[in-house]
Amino acid sequence: MNTPILTKKDPYAALRYPDYRFYILTRIFLAIALQIEVVSIGWHVYEITKDPMSLGMIGLVEILPNFAVTLFAGHYADIYDRKKIVISCLFVVMLSGVGLYTITHMVPDNNQQLSLFYVVIAITGLARGTLSPSMFSILTECVPRDNYVNSTSWSSTIWQIAYMLGAGVSGFLFAYIRYDAYLVVSVLVLCGIISFSFISPKPHLMTKEKRAPMLDSIKEGISYVFKNQVFLGALSLDLFAVLFGGAVALLPIFANDILKVGPQGLGFLKAAPSAGSFIMAAINIYWPPVKNTGKKLLFAVFGFGVCMIIFALSKNFYLSVFILAVSGACDNISVVVRGTIMQTLVPPDMKGKVSAVNSVFIGSSNEIGAFESGAAAKIMGVVPSVIFGGTMTLLVVIFTTFRAPKLKNLNFE
């Protein structure tokens, strides 16, 4: 399938637009904040429970409310002020950091702390589920169409730099300032809100006369995805790869019980995928995956599965960090290809609702994948569960290769 994308030769083209720069700055603050929060909560919860299932519950508690609102959020992202929606959701995320800090300092009982943590995580899930469709839709409004590949590559690069920085710093923050790290989260999100407020207002895409009823709008977005083999194949690959192959939720166990490197080591393990993703994203800026795009996507997801199997078997901290970095590089190819597909193939007045369906696929794969990892580790053991997940990822890639020929033959050149 040939879908030509005319990209400017200037590798910094997207960064020359002020709105895009403010958008990227917001993502930097948000990514660092979320990584600090995730690492701190993961270590904190495992410190209280010593139970891998409790780590899986973190993902489940977040994804259930996220899943409940995302499709509705996609509908509203196409008819209301996306900028106001984003700022409102970021404000809730900011308050979640304050809530976590307050709980740890004012609730002495560990069981009560754990229950309240899950409540705050659920509220954050609601906010992030509402945020995602509007956030993505605004991205496509910050640059012209011929810069979509470049803007996706830069967005991914900056996000991974911020994730890498946040993950690397988070372990040390939690080790030295402990629960005060949750306040750092709130300050960073506040900076993101300030940055986002400088983006110029974006006009509504639909008049009241053209707005479909909410349920019809949601059905339209779902129908669009399931009728598009390329889109559905790319989303399914990411969904099942992360659902079965992700070991991120179990990293506190690997750091504490297998590799024995403590919270500082956990920070490096969390940062490693982002480091690999950053390197690949930087490569994609200069040499975007526009030739044999589908084949490169399938190869990358297959490589991700192989990395998960090797990581599970590794007993060496440095090898584990390296393999996680390679897995991040593979994942970045998937992110760039999927983002380019979304920006290019989806009509402007459907980006919110289709992005919502994308969020259900991708967001749910991360959090449900965390729950699956915790549950599988509880049943099989930590190492066998990760080997099983990596093997399932390889089988999904093989199945998709034969069942989605349009995706395999996708070519943006």
Side-chain angles (χ1 to χ4, degrees):
M1 176 179 179
N2 293 318
T3 308
I5 301 294
L6 299 176
T7 54
K8 292 184 178 180
K9 294 182 179 180
D10 181 7
Y12 307 100
L15 294 178
R16 303 192 188 282
Y17 295 90
D19 281 354
Y20 185 76
R21 293 198 296 269
F22 287 124
Y23 179 92
I24 287 297
L25 188 58
T26 300
R27 282 177 63 84
I28 291 174
F29 288 124
L30 185 59
I32 296 175
L34 291 177
Q35 276 296 84
I36 293 174
E37 184 173 282
V38 166
V39 172
S40 298
I41 288 178
W43 189 270
H44 196 169
V45 168
Y46 189 65
E47 193 176 52
I48 292 173
T49 65
K50 299 297 181 183
D51 182 3
M53 192 65 184
S54 64
L55 297 176
M57 283 297 296
I58 293 174
L60 184 65
V61 167
E62 179 171 2
I63 194 53
L64 288 178
N66 186 305
F67 186 85
V69 302
T70 298
L71 292 177
F72 300 100
H75 167 73
Y76 288 112
D78 285 336
I79 63 176
Y80 291 116
D81 190 330
R82 292 165 176 169
K83 183 177 177 181
K84 290 181 179 178
I85 292 174
V86 169
I87 290 177
S88 299
C89 293
L90 289 177
F91 186 75
V92 174
V93 175
M94 181 189 74
L95 292 180
S96 72
V98 177
L100 292 169
Y101 174 84
T102 303
I103 291 167
T104 55
H105 284 78
M106 300 188 66
V107 181
D109 182 76
N110 283 342
N111 290 328
Q112 290 182 0
Q113 275 192 15
L114 190 61
S115 298
L116 291 172
F117 274 175
Y118 289 145
V119 171
V120 173
I121 292 169
I123 294 172
T124 305
L126 282 170
R128 292 181 64 183
T130 307
L131 166 71
S132 181
S134 293
M135 193 77 175
F136 173 80
S137 299
I138 286 179
L139 167 62
T140 63
E141 298 174 342
C142 291
V143 296
R145 186 180 187 276
D146 58 356
N147 287 320
Y148 281 171
V149 175
N150 185 256
S151 68
T152 302
S153 297
W154 270 112
S155 181
S156 177
T157 302
I158 299 297
W159 180 262
Q160 295 303 336
I161 291 174
Y163 247 53
M164 182 171 55
L165 179 61
V169 167
S170 58
F172 290 96
L173 274 178
F174 194 78
Y176 292 108
I177 68 174
R178 301 290 287 175
Y179 310 126
D180 290 348
Y182 297 127
L183 279 186
V184 176
V185 171
S186 295
V187 172
L188 288 169
V189 177
L190 176 60
C191 292
I193 293 172
I194 294 171
S195 173
F196 201 83
S197 66
F198 285 101
I199 294 178
S200 60
K202 306 301 179 185
H204 294 296
L205 295 176
M206 294 184 185
T207 63
K208 291 183 179 180
E209 292 76 16
K210 293 183 179 180
R211 295 176 186 176
M214 181 168 58
L215 292 181
D216 290 344
S217 176
I218 292 172
K219 289 177 182 177
E220 184 183 9
I222 295 173
S223 176
Y224 181 90
V225 170
F226 279 86
K227 288 181 179 179
N228 189 310
Q229 187 184 106
V230 171
F231 205 102
L232 181 61
L235 292 186
S236 299
L237 268 180
D238 195 273
L239 168 66
F240 290 107
V242 177
L243 179 62
F244 290 116
V248 174
L250 302 178
L251 288 182
I253 301 175
F254 278 92
N256 189 65
D257 299 342
I258 297 175
L259 300 174
K260 301 185 185 301
V261 290
Q264 294 92 335
L266 173 62
F268 284 108
L269 290 172
K270 290 283 289 184
S274 295
S277 185
F278 159 66
I279 293 172
M280 181 56 67
I283 292 172
N284 285 334
I285 289 173
Y286 290 91
W287 297 282
V290 295
K291 184 177 181 180
N292 297 321
T293 310
K295 292 181 177 65
K296 289 178 181 177
L297 173 63
L298 291 164
F299 181 80
V301 179
F302 191 88
F304 179 85
V306 172
C307 287
M308 289 302 100
I309 295 173
I310 297 174
F311 173 76
L313 297 172
S314 172
K315 298 296 187 294
N316 182 280
F317 173 68
Y318 298 103
L319 175 61
S320 297
V321 170
F322 173 75
I323 290 299
L324 287 175
V326 175
S327 76
C330 292
D331 183 60
N332 180 262
I333 295 175
S334 174
V335 169
V336 172
V337 172
R338 196 177 63 252
T340 303
I341 290 172
M342 283 193 61
Q343 291 196 73
T344 305
L345 301 183
V346 182
D349 60 346
M350 289 187 64
K351 289 191 185 295
K353 57 181 74 73
V354 173
S355 175
V357 178
N358 176 71
S359 295
V360 169
F361 271 80
I362 307 310
S364 63
S365 66
N366 285 306
E367 276 71 33
I368 294 178
F371 178 74
E372 182 275 335
S373 297
K378 184 80 170 178
I379 297 170
M380 302 180 186
V382 175
V383 172
S385 70
V386 178
I387 294 174
F388 168 77
T391 303
M392 290 299 296
T393 300
L394 302 185
L395 293 176
V396 167
V397 174
I398 294 171
F399 178 81
T400 305
T401 300
F402 290 100
R403 295 294 295 176
K406 289 183 179 179
L407 176 63
K408 182 180 70 173
N409 297 320
L410 178 66
N411 193 350
F412 280 128
E413 190 174 44

